[in-house]
Amino acid sequence: MTQLRFDGQVAIVTGAGGGLGRHHALLLASRGAHVVVNDIGGSVTGDGADAGPAEAVAQEIRELGGEAVADSHSVATAVDGEGIVKTALAAYGRIDILVNNAGILRDTPLPDMTPAMLDAVIDVHLKGAFHVTRPAWQVMRTQGYGRIVNTTSAAGILGTPRKSNYGAAKGGIVGLTRVLALEGAADNIKVNAIAPIAATRMLTHSMRPPRDSGADDASAAEDAGSRMSPAAQAMMDAVTSKLDPALVSPVVAFLAHRDCPVSGEIFTAGAGQVARFFTGRTAGYYAPALSAEDVRDHLAEIRDEAGYTVPTDPGEEIAQLLRVVAARPPLGAL
Ligand code: NAI
């Protein structure tokens, strides 16, 4: 079996100072990629900064015989996003792979979700992916080659309480991935996304019981263990013991490889299982003079998943609609 390798290629992994990003960086480096290990080194809620975690992972890669440089710019601004790309170009002269992985959480129910909490999360996840991708894109277009792996979440695709900011950001990343896959096709730039499930500090933070009131703060993750019941803690330990973050990285590596045949797709990955999320469209219900009552009376038919399709782009969706319309006699002919 030939090994998937990245010799001569350069990868940027954002948020690679810990958690999933560290494993992505270690795997890519072990297969020959030169890696820019980016991380701002803050808390799970995005407070503080420390160049240490990125340095430590870059050092770990070098000690294992790989090649890496550390970078501690924040993905959350356009200027710093360019800074990350400049680090890669200064060290290695090209960019073949970008893994947009950096992330934070600021969870709370909507009434307590302040605009500042929304901004902080959108800035890192959604705008962060944009801020690093845009300058990297120029390099990839010039090369006529690129692989981008974004990081979305089931919380954005399926929804989950207390994460309106995060769900909006992660849902936005799905849209960004779909659009860039189409825009990148002519230049051999493939853009896919993963929705990971892994035992990291972020998952621990998410699984803790909600605070009695008010919003998150940086100390919340540290409180989690002490406020959990023994039964809840036991369940959490059982779940997290299966969710080694290293089991997500092979999916990232494949999507980052030259041989990756797909673009614009979303793969959920955790505990060694890989599956695909997709957007389906039901066959639906058609009435040339549709009324609100028609919608009420035909809701089951509208929602019926039998015979659904998976349109590749809006043009294909409109074509499906027009086929149904064309198959019916014009108004007044009935
Ligand atoms: P983590 O908290 O261990 O890692 C996130 C890393 O991003 C941290 O090292 C942090 O310092 C870095 N970071 C945060 N803000 C940054 C910024 N502005 N610039 C550069 N680096 C920054 O969490 P984890 O679980 O490894 O998360 C990685 C990605 O996976 C995130 O995008 C997260 O939303 C996503 N995810 C994780 C899931 C899980 O089960 N762990 C589930 C769904 C999505």
Side-chain angles (χ1 to χ4, degrees):
M1 192 169 71
T2 34
Q3 199 184 48
L4 295 173
R5 296 208 49 95
F6 302 92
D7 301 298
Q9 294 199 338
V10 177
I12 295 173
V13 184
T14 70
L20 284 158
R22 171 174 162 268
H23 288 282
H24 304 339
L26 284 167
L27 181 57
L28 293 172
S30 75
R31 301 297 180 95
H34 293 186
V35 180
V36 175
V37 177
N38 159 265
D39 206 296
I40 198 172
S43 73
V44 73
T45 49
D47 298 291
D50 177 2
E55 284 292 353
V57 173
Q59 180 67 22
E60 187 180 2
I61 288 172
R62 290 192 291 266
E63 283 169 3
L64 290 166
E67 173 56 44
V69 291
D71 176 282
S72 55
H73 288 100
S74 170
V75 299
T77 68
V79 170
D80 271 25
E82 279 177 25
I84 297 168
V85 166
K86 281 182 185 158
T87 297
L89 294 178
Y92 304 123
R94 57 183 290 123
I95 300 165
D96 301 281
I97 297 162
L98 168 60
V99 183
N100 286 309
N101 165 80
I104 62 168
L105 287 178
R106 301 251 172 121
D107 296 355
T108 203
L110 188 65
D112 297 324
M113 183 67 73
T114 63
M117 294 169 78
L118 173 70
D119 286 346
V121 167
I122 298 263
D123 282 353
V124 174
H125 290 276
L126 181 55
K127 289 176 156 185
F130 180 87
H131 290 321
V132 189
T133 299
R134 193 158 177 267
W137 192 263
Q138 290 306 327
V139 180
M140 290 176 174
R141 282 189 71 191
T142 307
Q143 294 168 175
Y145 181 83
R147 297 285 181 267
I148 298 174
V149 184
N150 291 328
T151 309
T152 180
S153 168
I157 297 167
L158 303 175
T160 202
R162 305 181 74 245
K163 283 183 162 55
S164 53
N165 52 359
Y166 184 83
K170 290 306 202 186
I173 285 173
V174 171
L176 183 69
T177 301
R178 300 285 303 174
V179 169
L180 295 186
L182 296 171
E183 290 193 17
D187 294 305
N188 193 17
I189 303 173
K190 291 190 171 154
V191 188
N192 291 286
I194 58 157
I197 308 171
T200 63
R201 67 178 188 174
M202 191 179 277
L203 188 72
T204 307
H205 187 79
S206 282
M207 288 175 74
R208 71 193 169 81
R211 291 164 75 81
D212 292 339
S213 64
D216 263 347
D217 62 36
S219 65
E222 288 73 40
D223 293 349
S226 58
R227 286 184 293 102
M228 226 175 241
S229 71
Q233 184 65 55
M235 193 187 80
M236 182 160 156
D237 290 347
V239 171
T240 55
S241 69
K242 307 277 185 210
L243 296 173
D244 181 353
L247 290 170
V248 173
S249 301
V251 183
V252 171
F254 177 71
L255 296 175
H257 196 267
R258 186 174 290 278
D259 291 350
C260 173
V262 297
S263 194
E265 301 207 347
I266 320 291
F267 296 91
T268 169
Q273 195 201 44
V274 194
R276 179 181 165 218
F277 272 126
F278 56 83
T279 304
R281 180 189 192 277
T282 63
Y285 166 78
Y286 171 61
L290 187 74
S291 67
E293 292 72 26
D294 285 336
V295 178
R296 176 194 63 198
D297 297 342
H298 295 275
L299 192 58
E301 195 178 338
I302 292 165
R303 298 183 68 247
D304 186 1
E305 292 168 17
Y308 71 84
T309 56
V310 184
T312 53
D313 59 33
E316 194 174 309
E317 204 228 336
I318 291 174
Q320 287 185 12
L321 169 65
L322 295 179
R323 273 197 295 277
V324 172
V325 173
R328 295 289 179 93
L331 260 181
L334 291 171

